[in-house]
Amino acid sequence: MARGERRRRGAPADGPRTTERAVRGGPARRGGEARGSAWRAALGVVVLSLALGLSGCWLLAWHRARRAVTLHSAPPALPPDSSSPAVAPDLFWGTYRPHVYFGMKTRSPKPLLTGLMWAQQGATPGTPKLRHTCEQGDGVGPYGWEFHDGLSFGRQHIQDGALRLTTEFVKRPGGQHGGDWSWRVTVEPQTSGTSTLPLVSLFFYVVTDGKEVLVPEVGAKGQLKFISGHSSELGDFRFTLMAPTNPGDTAPKYSSYNVFWSSNPGLPLLTEMVKSRLNSWFQHRPPGASPERYLGLPGSLKWEDKGSSGQGQGQGQFLIQQVTLKVPFSVELVFESGSARARGSQPWEQLAGSLLTRALESHADTFREHFEKTFQLKGKGLSPEEQALGQAALSGLLGGIGYFYGQGLVLADMGVEGSEQKVDPALFPPVPLFTAVPSRSFFPRGFLWDEGFHQLVVQRWDPRITREVLGHWLGLLNADGWIGREQVLGDEARARVPPEFLVQRAAHANPPTLLLPIAHMLESGDPADFAFLHRAFPRLRAWFSWLYKSQAGPVPLSYRWRGRDPALPTLLNPKTLPSGLDDYPRASHPSASERHLDLRCWVALGARVLVRLAEQLGEAEAAAELGPLAASLEAEESLDELHWAPELGVFADFGNHTRAVQLKPRPPQGLVRVVGRPHPRLQYVDALGYVSLFPMLLRLLDPNSSRLGPLLDVLADSRHLWSPFGLRSLAASSPFYGQRNSEHDPPYWRGAVWLNVNYLALGALYHYGHLEGPHQARAAKLHSELRANVVGNVWRQYQATGFLWEQYSDRDGRGMGCRPFQGWTSLVLLAMAEDY
């Protein structure tokens, strides 16, 4: 754009010079015709230059926009059809709907879905509260998985007021379509000895996308005998809802039944559809007891086709059975695959009743044994209660794994930061994503920088799941090597995201934390890991190449996060969302002169991992390309030159900065940023906190480094980063500590304790505590003390609330932010196991 502007300014300047030559008797004296020809020729050159310039700009913009939504051409990291029942039958079915309290689906672009809703009848006036999707403010909780192996088995407890629900599932392999599975849902009073037992309705449902065939058969009193079905992926199958019993008993318990069958209104609308149909009163009449009224669904199996409103059979079917009875009780739902039932010569037995009980207990025992073998918490002397926390941390993470499919919205990188060129977001190609999620209630979708931390835990438990997850994330690469930092795929995910966060910008990066589990794979010695890395290497290389080239800083070996917020008058410090640290203070006045320390460290780590990987795989050309970059970034002299701030005594960002900024009330605008003196200038940014520690956190410093001691000093100082509950994200001595970023934006990374960075700190302290050097003893001591603080506080808060939290207060240790947050807070398990 700038070069084109200079050309346009230069061309007309020839006109006056030509006129001047004509007056002085130069070549233009040939007469009016000659002068006219010269003018026409000059004008033609100008028009042609403009046309070529404009068309070139347009073609470049079109090319960039197209590449942004074109999948990368490298071979996939996973084998073809890796999610199909033929290739991975044991992973085909799963609790891959983390945003609902309980539900299962297939790993398929067009899945068969099942789910559970419930309501306590008569607890409140009017329509009972219908529970379905995990919400922050619905009053349910605590809830979470006690056990979940990520594969075949899980047990979850949910507290809802006076009720305690236990949801369990187990899978049984067999056949060619993913095998059988069974649920057990138990509802009991929260406290024993309750005089008035509540009346509760459970709603079991099945949803199809239009290609599966469902044939329900209803018996007496609205009870479904079973649902038969068929699809190309599942073959023949059958659902059977067993008669409710008292917990631990086999005798049926009196129940009332209602059923509803319609076209699928769209997955985000299921809850509202059921609420709208709970509009008729029915009588629950157990023999020998007084009847009670309850709100139920229409009482007969009558198809309601919404085709007239554009929601017809093409969108599939929604079939739901309501079961109403007095607590306590248990209900079982059995799914049977036709190909599994027909297998072999062994007698077939339905996975229900006592057989289901034995299967659940057997899997629970196997889980406990595998857990202790993997993490050795009992062997390390941790209490049974602490071991239970570790099991819940792992299980909540595994139970939060989802399978998503859809198209994201992408805004292309036009190549000129701050360009006024208007480009509309475009749809990315349809892609699948198998991933854990940070929070079932608040962030039930994939986040790139979270996922690397998630997989550090998962790969210790089941490396195969980690390979599947990493392979799916690498499948999201666009033609340039970019991966969107937040993946909003499918209607259910999109319905829970504010519109302003739907669009991902192809110029914005995210910390490459997927390289953390990749680095662990390099040490595993597992042939399956090595085979995966061999397939994944071209994509890993393309991703890293895009990162270090697209985020290059103003001077060699410096890097800058693209995508900082503009300096709006309402923001104390413009946020840097691509960094993952959001409102962590950066230079007060964003500019292209910034050098971001954390990003440089991530690139240094990435170069180190990619070079090691290339050498192990025999990729000589890649090792030769990345080796010099890795060596330069490893050199402490260049890190010192760009980021050591002598006046601060620590590493720091660099940019156009002043401390003299604050938010002040200015009616009617509200809080407005006021900049005082000294005025901003290019300098190191005095924001002591997590960013300052990154050279140590990622173990980039030599154990004999003269910079390690000062970092340990600020880490261990309670005036700065040390707290009884973990390391603060921002020093208590910082002017930004605990400060709002705007009137409506409370502090986030400005003092609170975060588990992911505390885990990195623990790993670094453990690392330096085991290497000979002047700081070895101190690092080991700080590791022991920090581990006790972090683990102890997470355990106390879990005991008090039943939740793992997004962050923890550095003042009193209480859980803050969203919950449950069994994403990277599950790293507490690795801290307990001292596995870094």
Side-chain angles (χ1 to χ4, degrees), residues 67-91:
R67 287 181 66 82
V69 292
T70 299
L71 290 171
H72 201 278
S73 59
L78 295 173
D81 301 321
S82 62
S83 296
S84 70
V87 175
D90 52 346
L91 284 172

mmCIF file of all heavy atoms in Angstrom, residues 67-91:
data_model
loop_
_atom_site.group_PDB
_atom_site.id
_atom_site.type_symbol
_atom_site.label_atom_id
_atom_site.label_comp_id
_atom_site.label_asym_id
_atom_site.label_seq_id
_atom_site.Cartn_x
_atom_site.Cartn_y
_atom_site.Cartn_z
ATOM 1 N N ARG A 67 -6.173 -18.712 0.872
ATOM 2 C CA ARG A 67 -5.279 -19.576 1.630
ATOM 3 C C ARG A 67 -5.714 -19.699 3.089
ATOM 4 O O ARG A 67 -5.526 -20.733 3.723
ATOM 5 C CB ARG A 67 -3.842 -19.051 1.553
ATOM 6 C CG ARG A 67 -3.185 -19.267 0.212
ATOM 7 C CD ARG A 67 -1.752 -18.745 0.204
ATOM 8 N NE ARG A 67 -0.886 -19.500 1.100
ATOM 9 C CZ ARG A 67 -0.295 -20.659 0.811
ATOM 10 N NH1 ARG A 67 -0.495 -21.223 -0.381
ATOM 11 N NH2 ARG A 67 0.497 -21.257 1.680
ATOM 12 N N ALA A 68 -6.315 -18.638 3.616
ATOM 13 C CA ALA A 68 -6.744 -18.663 5.025
ATOM 14 C C ALA A 68 -7.777 -19.742 5.284
ATOM 15 O O ALA A 68 -7.860 -20.272 6.401
ATOM 16 C CB ALA A 68 -7.288 -17.298 5.430
ATOM 17 N N VAL A 69 -8.576 -20.083 4.272
ATOM 18 C CA VAL A 69 -9.631 -21.079 4.457
ATOM 19 C C VAL A 69 -9.405 -22.304 3.566
ATOM 20 O O VAL A 69 -10.343 -22.978 3.153
ATOM 21 C CB VAL A 69 -11.021 -20.463 4.200
ATOM 22 C CG1 VAL A 69 -11.359 -19.458 5.281
ATOM 23 C CG2 VAL A 69 -11.101 -19.806 2.828
ATOM 24 N N THR A 70 -8.135 -22.572 3.269
ATOM 25 C CA THR A 70 -7.758 -23.774 2.524
ATOM 26 C C THR A 70 -6.957 -24.671 3.444
ATOM 27 O O THR A 70 -6.024 -24.217 4.125
ATOM 28 C CB THR A 70 -6.912 -23.413 1.291
ATOM 29 O OG1 THR A 70 -7.689 -22.576 0.418
ATOM 30 C CG2 THR A 70 -6.482 -24.668 0.535
ATOM 31 N N LEU A 71 -7.295 -25.938 3.501
ATOM 32 C CA LEU A 71 -6.585 -26.875 4.356
ATOM 33 C C LEU A 71 -5.172 -27.121 3.832
ATOM 34 O O LEU A 71 -4.921 -27.084 2.616
ATOM 35 C CB LEU A 71 -7.337 -28.198 4.436
ATOM 36 C CG LEU A 71 -8.662 -28.161 5.211
ATOM 37 C CD1 LEU A 71 -9.419 -29.467 5.031
ATOM 38 C CD2 LEU A 71 -8.401 -27.904 6.695
ATOM 39 N N HIS A 72 -4.270 -27.382 4.743
ATOM 40 C CA HIS A 72 -2.875 -27.615 4.379
ATOM 41 C C HIS A 72 -2.752 -28.903 3.570
ATOM 42 O O HIS A 72 -3.491 -29.867 3.771
ATOM 43 C CB HIS A 72 -2.011 -27.705 5.638
ATOM 44 C CG HIS A 72 -0.561 -27.448 5.392
ATOM 45 N ND1 HIS A 72 0.298 -28.420 4.922
ATOM 46 C CD2 HIS A 72 0.192 -26.324 5.539
ATOM 47 C CE1 HIS A 72 1.510 -27.904 4.797
ATOM 48 N NE2 HIS A 72 1.478 -26.639 5.176
ATOM 49 N N SER A 73 -1.791 -28.916 2.660
ATOM 50 C CA SER A 73 -1.667 -30.042 1.736
ATOM 51 C C SER A 73 -0.838 -31.193 2.287
ATOM 52 O O SER A 73 -0.777 -32.264 1.672
ATOM 53 C CB SER A 73 -1.016 -29.563 0.429
ATOM 54 O OG SER A 73 0.277 -29.017 0.691
ATOM 55 N N ALA A 74 -0.190 -31.015 3.440
ATOM 56 C CA ALA A 74 0.638 -32.094 4.001
ATOM 57 C C ALA A 74 -0.228 -33.308 4.329
ATOM 58 O O ALA A 74 -1.407 -33.182 4.671
ATOM 59 C CB ALA A 74 1.361 -31.611 5.254
ATOM 60 N N PRO A 75 0.334 -34.507 4.259
ATOM 61 C CA PRO A 75 -0.442 -35.704 4.622
ATOM 62 C C PRO A 75 -0.948 -35.599 6.057
ATOM 63 O O PRO A 75 -0.297 -35.002 6.912
ATOM 64 C CB PRO A 75 0.579 -36.839 4.486
ATOM 65 C CG PRO A 75 1.638 -36.298 3.578
ATOM 66 C CD PRO A 75 1.705 -34.835 3.829
ATOM 67 N N PRO A 76 -2.115 -36.175 6.327
ATOM 68 C CA PRO A 76 -2.665 -36.096 7.692
ATOM 69 C C PRO A 76 -1.793 -36.840 8.689
ATOM 70 O O PRO A 76 -1.095 -37.798 8.341
ATOM 71 C CB PRO A 76 -4.049 -36.728 7.557
ATOM 72 C CG PRO A 76 -3.973 -37.574 6.338
ATOM 73 C CD PRO A 76 -3.006 -36.911 5.415
ATOM 74 N N ALA A 77 -1.849 -36.382 9.939
ATOM 75 C CA ALA A 77 -1.066 -37.030 10.994
ATOM 76 C C ALA A 77 -1.710 -38.322 11.469
ATOM 77 O O ALA A 77 -1.044 -39.140 12.110
ATOM 78 C CB ALA A 77 -0.887 -36.073 12.169
ATOM 79 N N LEU A 78 -2.993 -38.509 11.179
ATOM 80 C CA LEU A 78 -3.714 -39.712 11.579
ATOM 81 C C LEU A 78 -4.062 -40.542 10.353
ATOM 82 O O LEU A 78 -4.251 -39.994 9.263
ATOM 83 C CB LEU A 78 -4.993 -39.347 12.333
ATOM 84 C CG LEU A 78 -4.813 -38.635 13.674
ATOM 85 C CD1 LEU A 78 -6.166 -38.191 14.225
ATOM 86 C CD2 LEU A 78 -4.108 -39.543 14.679
ATOM 87 N N PRO A 79 -4.180 -41.850 10.515
ATOM 88 C CA PRO A 79 -4.552 -42.692 9.382
ATOM 89 C C PRO A 79 -5.943 -42.337 8.865
ATOM 90 O O PRO A 79 -6.750 -41.729 9.576
ATOM 91 C CB PRO A 79 -4.537 -44.113 9.969
ATOM 92 C CG PRO A 79 -3.752 -44.011 11.234
ATOM 93 C CD PRO A 79 -3.945 -42.618 11.740
ATOM 94 N N PRO A 80 -6.261 -42.703 7.635
ATOM 95 C CA PRO A 80 -7.606 -42.438 7.095
ATOM 96 C C PRO A 80 -8.686 -43.095 7.954
ATOM 97 O O PRO A 80 -8.491 -44.195 8.493
ATOM 98 C CB PRO A 80 -7.555 -43.062 5.693
ATOM 99 C CG PRO A 80 -6.100 -43.136 5.351
ATOM 100 C CD PRO A 80 -5.371 -43.334 6.645
ATOM 101 N N ASP A 81 -9.798 -42.402 8.097
ATOM 102 C CA ASP A 81 -10.947 -42.924 8.848
ATOM 103 C C ASP A 81 -10.569 -43.320 10.272
ATOM 104 O O ASP A 81 -11.084 -44.309 10.822
ATOM 105 C CB ASP A 81 -11.570 -44.135 8.126
ATOM 106 C CG ASP A 81 -12.039 -43.798 6.726
ATOM 107 O OD1 ASP A 81 -12.588 -42.681 6.553
ATOM 108 O OD2 ASP A 81 -11.849 -44.607 5.818
ATOM 109 N N SER A 82 -9.659 -42.561 10.882
ATOM 110 C CA SER A 82 -9.154 -42.946 12.202
ATOM 111 C C SER A 82 -10.226 -42.907 13.273
ATOM 112 O O SER A 82 -10.068 -43.531 14.330
ATOM 113 C CB SER A 82 -7.996 -42.037 12.610
ATOM 114 O OG SER A 82 -8.438 -40.682 12.712
ATOM 115 N N SER A 83 -11.332 -42.161 13.036
ATOM 116 C CA SER A 83 -12.403 -42.086 14.033
ATOM 117 C C SER A 83 -13.510 -43.089 13.791
ATOM 118 O O SER A 83 -14.459 -43.156 14.569
ATOM 119 C CB SER A 83 -13.008 -40.674 14.047
ATOM 120 O OG SER A 83 -12.052 -39.726 14.456
ATOM 121 N N SER A 84 -13.420 -43.874 12.744
ATOM 122 C CA SER A 84 -14.511 -44.776 12.374
ATOM 123 C C SER A 84 -14.541 -45.993 13.287
ATOM 124 O O SER A 84 -13.544 -46.369 13.906
ATOM 125 C CB SER A 84 -14.341 -45.232 10.921
ATOM 126 O OG SER A 84 -13.227 -46.112 10.819
ATOM 127 N N PRO A 85 -15.684 -46.671 13.373
ATOM 128 C CA PRO A 85 -15.766 -47.897 14.184
ATOM 129 C C PRO A 85 -14.899 -49.018 13.639
ATOM 130 O O PRO A 85 -14.504 -49.911 14.384
ATOM 131 C CB PRO A 85 -17.252 -48.252 14.142
ATOM 132 C CG PRO A 85 -17.781 -47.583 12.918
ATOM 133 C CD PRO A 85 -16.978 -46.326 12.761
ATOM 134 N N ALA A 86 -14.587 -48.977 12.351
ATOM 135 C CA ALA A 86 -13.733 -50.022 11.787
ATOM 136 C C ALA A 86 -12.296 -49.873 12.260
ATOM 137 O O ALA A 86 -11.604 -50.866 12.507
ATOM 138 C CB ALA A 86 -13.795 -49.975 10.260
ATOM 139 N N VAL A 87 -11.819 -48.626 12.413
ATOM 140 C CA VAL A 87 -10.423 -48.380 12.786
ATOM 141 C C VAL A 87 -10.263 -48.279 14.296
ATOM 142 O O VAL A 87 -9.308 -48.797 14.870
ATOM 143 C CB VAL A 87 -9.899 -47.100 12.101
ATOM 144 C CG1 VAL A 87 -8.488 -46.770 12.572
ATOM 145 C CG2 VAL A 87 -9.931 -47.259 10.588
ATOM 146 N N ALA A 88 -11.175 -47.585 14.957
ATOM 147 C CA ALA A 88 -11.076 -47.374 16.411
ATOM 148 C C ALA A 88 -12.427 -47.670 17.051
ATOM 149 O O ALA A 88 -13.116 -46.751 17.518
ATOM 150 C CB ALA A 88 -10.629 -45.951 16.713
ATOM 151 N N PRO A 89 -12.845 -48.931 17.112
ATOM 152 C CA PRO A 89 -14.176 -49.243 17.633
ATOM 153 C C PRO A 89 -14.347 -48.865 19.098
ATOM 154 O O PRO A 89 -15.438 -48.471 19.517
ATOM 155 C CB PRO A 89 -14.290 -50.763 17.433
ATOM 156 C CG PRO A 89 -12.876 -51.254 17.326
ATOM 157 C CD PRO A 89 -12.125 -50.145 16.674
ATOM 158 N N ASP A 90 -13.268 -48.947 19.896
ATOM 159 C CA ASP A 90 -13.403 -48.665 21.324
ATOM 160 C C ASP A 90 -13.526 -47.175 21.620
ATOM 161 O O ASP A 90 -13.906 -46.784 22.724
ATOM 162 C CB ASP A 90 -12.226 -49.256 22.093
ATOM 163 C CG ASP A 90 -10.883 -48.844 21.521
ATOM 164 O OD1 ASP A 90 -10.849 -48.325 20.397
ATOM 165 O OD2 ASP A 90 -9.858 -49.046 22.206
ATOM 166 N N LEU A 91 -13.210 -46.320 20.641
ATOM 167 C CA LEU A 91 -13.361 -44.874 20.824
ATOM 168 C C LEU A 91 -14.559 -44.309 20.064
ATOM 169 O O LEU A 91 -14.782 -43.102 20.096
ATOM 170 C CB LEU A 91 -12.095 -44.145 20.351
ATOM 171 C CG LEU A 91 -10.883 -44.207 21.273
ATOM 172 C CD1 LEU A 91 -9.659 -43.610 20.576
ATOM 173 C CD2 LEU A 91 -11.147 -43.480 22.579
#
